[in-house]
């Protein structure tokens, strides 16, 4: 056989092999991603609040949709927003040794770190949602789905200052878990933005056990007293959708009418939509909790089944106001936004 003929045969063989390999590779994703392609994966998912919680319900609905779409076995963990309870439940989750855990970051880096280390040793894939734990992720891996706390808080403070027509010397109230290093970064960011604009901010610390998020009515005496003691307050900020949705109750208890005070905060819900409609609520920062349920499960499935890197997604979507709330109203009523 001549050199030319051998070269032609060699090229033909290489091309044929490459074509066959490409064809084989192209069929792999289709085979791997058949319906319920994640059915052999076991996940423990932290919802955060109690069953029926305004924010937690949207997270839960996102997680349930991901489980229905992908097929994993998912254990849903409800914590009533109690950070100590979350830590204990995470300890139990690691001991069970599921394939993956989607954990709320509220307890913070220091509390989660030793359990993340154990999960890493046991080969458990980790995702975090709602509150970032950057030191944990740097040390032992994992991804994050949620808003960037301080960044979103500062943005809300700046937007509230603008839309409320506040000026230097005006007085505002901000409620939040200020002592919680991780979770309180958002509300501390809001306070910082308002103070930098010259606003006098009265800080009301919410209980670390998450009581006000679980039952917003428990905050009525504190908020009412703060408004009665500071009748010149122009704006009040709330740390989550549970309390923001309860604004009509707080204002009526303090003898205030719709529009008397600029009420602002975070999240959307059926109650918040009604607050906008009734003139009680003027601004909220949307962090798309449905994605905080759906994407951690999707990412864990991708990590376990396909060996992909964990997702990192900022779900902060911008602001909802009286001018645009109707765009998200119907989905909010369905507990999807």
């Amino acid at each position: 056989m001549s050199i030319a003929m051998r070269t032609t045969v060699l090229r033909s063989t290489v091309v044929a092999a490459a074509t066959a390999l490409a064809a084989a590779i192209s069929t792999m994703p289709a085979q791997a991603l058949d319906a319920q392609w994640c059915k052999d994966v076991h996940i423990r998912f932290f919802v955060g609040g109690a069953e029926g919680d305004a924010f937690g319900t949207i997270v839960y609905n996102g997680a349930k949709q991901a489980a229905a779409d992908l097929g994993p076995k998912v254990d849903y963990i409800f914590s009533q927003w109690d950070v100590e309870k979350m830590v204990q439940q995470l300890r139990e989750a690691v001991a069970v040794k599921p394939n993956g855990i989607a954990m709320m970051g509220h307890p913070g880096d220091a509390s989660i770190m030793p359990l993340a280390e154990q999960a890493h040793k046991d080969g458990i894939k980790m995702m975090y949602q709602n509150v970032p734990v950057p030191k944990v992720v740097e040390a032992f891996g994992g991804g994050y789905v949620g808003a960037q706390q301080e960044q979103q808080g500062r943005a809300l403070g700046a937007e509230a200052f603008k839309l409320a027509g506040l000026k230097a010397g005006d007085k505002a109230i901000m409620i939040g878990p200020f002592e919680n290093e991780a979770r309180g970064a958002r509300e501390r960011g809001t306070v910082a933005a308002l103070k930098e604009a010259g606003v006098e901010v009265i800080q009301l610390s919410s209980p670390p056990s998450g009581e006000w998020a679980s039952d917003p009515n428990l905050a009525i005496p504190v908020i009412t007293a703060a408004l009665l003691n500071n009748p010149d307050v122009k704006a009040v900020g709330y740390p989550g959708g549970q309390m923001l949705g309860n604004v009509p109750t707080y204002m009526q208890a303090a003898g205030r009418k719709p529009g008397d005070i600029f009420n602002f905060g975070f999240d959307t819900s059926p109650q918040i939509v009604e607050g906008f409609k009734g003139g009680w609520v003027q601004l909220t920062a949307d962090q798309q909790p449905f994605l905080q349920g759906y994407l951690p499960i999707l990412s864990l499935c991708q990590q376990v089944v396909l060996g992909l890197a964990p997702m990192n997604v900022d779900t902060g979507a911008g602001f909802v106001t009286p001018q645009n709330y109707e765009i998200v109203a119907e989905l909010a009523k369905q507990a999807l936004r």
Side-chain angles (χ1 to χ4, degrees), residues 258-310:
D260 285 352
I261 289 177
F262 187 93
N263 289 292
F264 67 99
F266 302 89
D267 309 330
T268 57
S269 70
Q271 294 79 14
I272 292 171
V273 166
E274 290 303 311
F276 276 116
K277 187 176 180 180
W280 297 102
V281 175
Q282 284 71 41
L283 172 67
T284 188
D286 183 15
Q287 57 175 328
Q288 302 184 101
F290 186 89
L291 292 181
Q292 296 181 22
Y294 195 101
L295 294 182
I297 289 181
L298 173 60
S299 183
L300 288 170
C301 284
Q302 291 176 338
Q303 291 177 63
V304 174
V305 177
L306 303 177
L308 298 184

Side-chain angles (χ1 to χ4, degrees), residues 76-162:
Y76 299 100
I77 311 299
F78 298 89
S79 310
Q80 289 76 45
W81 303 114
D82 185 330
V83 294
E84 292 184 2
K85 187 172 185 177
M86 286 183 187
V87 172
Q88 178 58 35
Q89 290 171 328
L90 178 58
R91 185 175 294 109
E92 295 166 358
V94 172
V96 171
K97 296 185 179 180
N99 300 108
I101 298 173
M103 172 66 182
M104 287 281 173
H106 295 64
D109 285 296
S111 296
I112 292 176
M113 187 73 76
L115 297 174
E117 181 178 11
Q118 186 60 52
H120 180 72
K121 290 178 180 177
D122 292 341
I124 301 170
K125 303 298 183 183
M126 296 294 298
M127 285 293 295
Y128 302 94
Q129 58 265 13
N130 196 245
V131 176
V133 281
K135 294 179 182 177
V136 168
V137 170
E138 182 180 2
F140 299 110
Y144 174 65
V145 178
Q148 295 300 318
Q149 295 284 296
E150 183 180 5
Q151 178 181 327
Q152 188 183 45
R154 279 185 165 274
L156 179 66
E159 192 74 2
F161 181 83
K162 179 177 70 175

Side-chain angles (χ1 to χ4, degrees), residues 105-241:
H106 295 64
D109 285 296
S111 296
I112 292 176
M113 187 73 76
L115 297 174
E117 181 178 11
Q118 186 60 52
H120 180 72
K121 290 178 180 177
D122 292 341
I124 301 170
K125 303 298 183 183
M126 296 294 298
M127 285 293 295
Y128 302 94
Q129 58 265 13
N130 196 245
V131 176
V133 281
K135 294 179 182 177
V136 168
V137 170
E138 182 180 2
F140 299 110
Y144 174 65
V145 178
Q148 295 300 318
Q149 295 284 296
E150 183 180 5
Q151 178 181 327
Q152 188 183 45
R154 279 185 165 274
L156 179 66
E159 192 74 2
F161 181 83
K162 179 177 70 175
L163 295 186
L166 300 176
K167 60 184 183 298
D170 283 343
K171 188 180 293 186
I173 292 173
M174 188 65 205
I175 306 164
F178 299 108
E179 290 77 20
N180 184 315
E181 180 182 359
R183 171 60 187 83
R186 187 173 69 180
E187 287 71 22
R188 291 195 300 271
T190 302
V191 170
L194 290 171
K195 285 186 174 180
E196 288 167 8
V199 176
E200 179 185 344
V201 182
I202 300 165
Q203 296 180 220
L204 300 181
S205 293
S206 54
S209 59
E211 294 173 7
W212 290 359
S214 296
D215 185 356
N217 285 330
L218 295 176
I220 292 174
V222 176
I223 295 174
T224 301
L227 289 173
L228 293 176
N229 292 332
N230 299 277
D232 54 343
V233 161
K234 300 287 184 65
V236 179
Y238 302 84

